[in-house]
Amino acid sequence: MKNDRQRTFLLITIPILALFVCFNTIPLIRGVVYSFTNFRGFGKYDWVGFRNYIDLFSDARVGKSYWFTVKLALVSTVVVNVISLLLAMALNSKIRAKGFFRGAYFLPNILGSLVVGYIFNYFFTYIIPALADMTGIKALSSSILSSPSKAWIGVMIVCAWQAIAMNTIIYISGLQTVPEDVYEAGGLDGATGWKQFRYLTFPLIIPFFSINMVLCVKNFLMVFDQIMALTKGGPAQSTESISYLIYNNGMAGGQFGFQSANAVVFFIVIVVLSVAQMKFSSSKEEQL
């Protein structure tokens, strides 16, 4: 029986492992190899050593894309977690039609990012300017996506609108793990309102907060679909994320080797930030 059980686990694990290696590990290794070449995506190539990595740090377009992506990730992470936590606390309270509201708030998560992006593109380009003309609000008379200084706000709104759904569900799961006895004991000591949240609720949902923070930063750093649907990196390359730059210049721009080096650096940055976040959250959890 034990051997049969182990054989069953192997039969389940091996195909999944093989698929992972074929579609993840091998492409990753090939990308690292190409990062040391001048490969254009087709034809022959030559080895260039670390030249691609050196050129990355002197390329203004790459630096601009990193700045935009980090700014978008930080602002979106804060906005999403604040709104998600507020919604979760509201949906976890004793209100009517709680199941309906939870389902309604989760709806954005099941929609495709490209579809959502195209819908918001139409909304920003036509609906809001039309409403602004009717109401006389000149500041909104033109699409926010056409402004190099404001287009990132439109991207942030779309990213946050879709990400809030999953984060809210995770926070609700965390809030439901908090025993009612804790609140009753805290109420006897005068812990109500903000004090209750600060000293009772938040310390007990720190693990869920950590998960949401890591997921948010990772997902927003890798933003691609929303950029493709909303701005395609414009106007004037002001919303060109790292993922979009790697795809656009690597696939269509003949910079496959150079953008492979960019992808390797980007991968390292995401791993370092994720590990740092988890360690920081763990240390905070221990202190609390």
Side-chain angles (χ1 to χ4, degrees), residues 244-267:
Y244 184 81
L245 176 64
I246 292 171
Y247 162 79
N248 193 42
N249 284 19
M251 296 297 182
Q255 297 181 348
F256 198 95
F258 180 72
Q259 294 303 332
S260 293
N262 194 7
V264 172
V265 172
F266 187 40
F267 171 76

Side-chain angles (χ1 to χ4, degrees), residues 1-166:
M1 289 294 293
K2 185 177 180 180
N3 291 334
D4 291 340
R5 183 181 179 87
Q6 292 177 345
R7 190 180 299 111
T8 302
F9 288 151
L10 286 175
L11 290 175
I12 295 173
T13 305
I14 291 175
I16 297 174
L17 181 61
L19 290 172
F20 180 82
V21 171
C22 289
F23 294 102
N24 186 283
T25 307
I26 293 177
L28 177 63
I29 295 172
R30 288 175 64 89
V32 174
V33 172
Y34 285 136
S35 69
F36 295 101
T37 70
N38 60 358
F39 188 46
R40 294 175 295 172
F42 58 90
K44 298 181 179 180
Y45 58 86
D46 297 318
W47 294 93
V48 296
F50 289 93
R51 191 178 71 188
N52 288 331
Y53 291 93
I54 296 172
D55 292 342
L56 276 176
F57 294 95
S58 60
D59 192 308
R61 188 173 180 181
V62 173
K64 187 177 180 180
S65 70
Y66 270 84
W67 165 244
F68 163 75
T69 307
V70 171
K71 177 176 67 173
L72 176 69
L74 291 177
V75 175
S76 300
T77 297
V78 173
V79 171
V80 167
N81 280 278
V82 169
I83 296 177
S84 297
L85 187 52
L86 292 175
L87 286 175
M89 294 179 67
L91 294 173
N92 194 54
S93 61
K94 297 178 181 179
I95 59 173
R96 293 182 178 180
K98 196 163 26 177
F100 168 77
F101 286 116
R102 289 180 181 179
Y105 281 115
F106 190 72
L107 182 63
N109 188 259
I110 65 176
L111 300 176
S113 299
L114 279 174
V115 175
V116 171
Y118 285 123
I119 292 173
F120 271 91
N121 191 339
Y122 185 85
F123 186 74
F124 287 135
T125 305
Y126 299 103
I127 304 299
I128 291 182
L131 293 175
D133 290 338
M134 292 172 58
T135 56
I137 304 175
K138 295 182 179 180
L140 299 176
S141 59
S142 60
S143 174
I144 192 175
L145 301 178
S146 64
S147 171
S149 61
K150 299 178 182 177
W152 75 274
I153 300 176
V155 177
M156 185 270 293
I157 291 172
V158 177
C159 292
W161 182 82
Q162 195 166 22
I164 284 171
M166 179 57 73

Side-chain angles (χ1 to χ4, degrees), residues 176-191:
Q176 289 179 343
T177 63
V178 180
E180 288 293 331
D181 297 344
V182 173
Y183 292 130
E184 293 176 1
L188 295 175
D189 293 332

